[in-house]
Every structure is written in C-alpha cells, then in structure tokens.
C-alpha cells in the first residue's frame, strides 16, 4: 500500500530543491504586511540582491571590533590625556 504525499509536502520539497526553506515568525499585526513584502522581495530573483543589500546594511550588526581598534576610532580630540601626578598620598614603606 503506497501512501501519497500531500500537496503541501510536495510543494515544500520542490522549494527545498531550489534552496528555499520555510520560516515562521511572530510579529505584531501592523508589521505583518511589511514582513510579507520583505519575504516576497527576497523570493523574487529580480529584487533579491538589492533587498539583501539593504537589509544587511540596515539590520545586520556590524562586526565586532577589537578593543584596540575601538580605541583607535574613538574621538579623543576634546579629552585631556596628560595625567597629573598626585603627591597628596603617602607611600607605605
């Protein structure tokens, strides 16, 4: 006895063969159309690259910098970097 696959299962297998996966997300009601539009643009071959570029630029966090690179990029123009010697404290022998 052979069991036939449902139409949904067959459809998902065809999409998987094309490199697509099913993703379920929870969003606010007012954002549902926006998320559907984004998903539609990502599926569309003519809009895929441009949509990915915009999303990566605005949503994906920038790679973490090393502490040294972070300090090098910090705006230090208005910061006094010279330390005064504090002679008010006595040294313990």
């Amino acid at each position: 006895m052979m069991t036939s696959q449902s139409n949904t299962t067959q459809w998902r297998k065809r999409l998987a063969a094309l490199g697509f996966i099913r993703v379920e997300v929870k969003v606010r009601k007012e954002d549902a159309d926006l998320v559907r539009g984004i998903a539609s643009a990502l599926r569309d071959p003519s809009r895929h690259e441009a949509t990915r570029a915009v999303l990566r630029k605005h949503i994906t966090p920038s790679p973490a910098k090393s502490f040294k690179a972070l300090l090098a990029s910090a705006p230090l123009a208005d910061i006094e970097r010279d330390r005064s010697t504090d002679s008010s404290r006595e040294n313990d022998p």
Side-chain angles (χ1 to χ4, degrees):
M1 180 173 168
M2 279 180 64
T3 60
S4 63
Q5 295 178 341
S6 71
N7 289 340
T8 304
T9 303
Q10 291 175 7
W11 172 249
R12 289 181 182 163
K13 282 187 175 187
R14 283 194 299 271
L15 287 178
L18 295 172
F20 289 93
I21 62 167
R22 179 177 165 80
V23 178
E24 184 175 329
V25 296
K26 304 264 187 240
V27 296
R28 294 183 184 273
K29 188 175 184 176
E30 60 267 15
D31 295 331
D33 287 335
L34 174 64
V35 172
R36 285 187 192 106
I38 292 169
S40 174
L42 287 171
R43 281 191 310 265
D44 183 357
S46 65
R47 299 184 296 162
H48 173 79
E49 290 300 323
T51 304
R52 277 183 99 190
V54 169
L55 290 173
R56 286 188 190 276
K57 180 179 178 185
H58 293 287
I59 295 176
T60 304
S62 59
K65 293 182 177 180
S66 68
F67 185 66
K68 184 177 177 180
L70 183 64
L71 285 176
S73 67
L76 300 174
D78 298 331
I79 297 175
E80 184 179 329
R81 289 174 273 187
D82 294 329
R83 293 180 58 177
S84 62
T85 56
D86 185 7
S87 59
S88 63
R89 183 174 159 190
E90 294 182 21
N91 291 336
D92 292 330

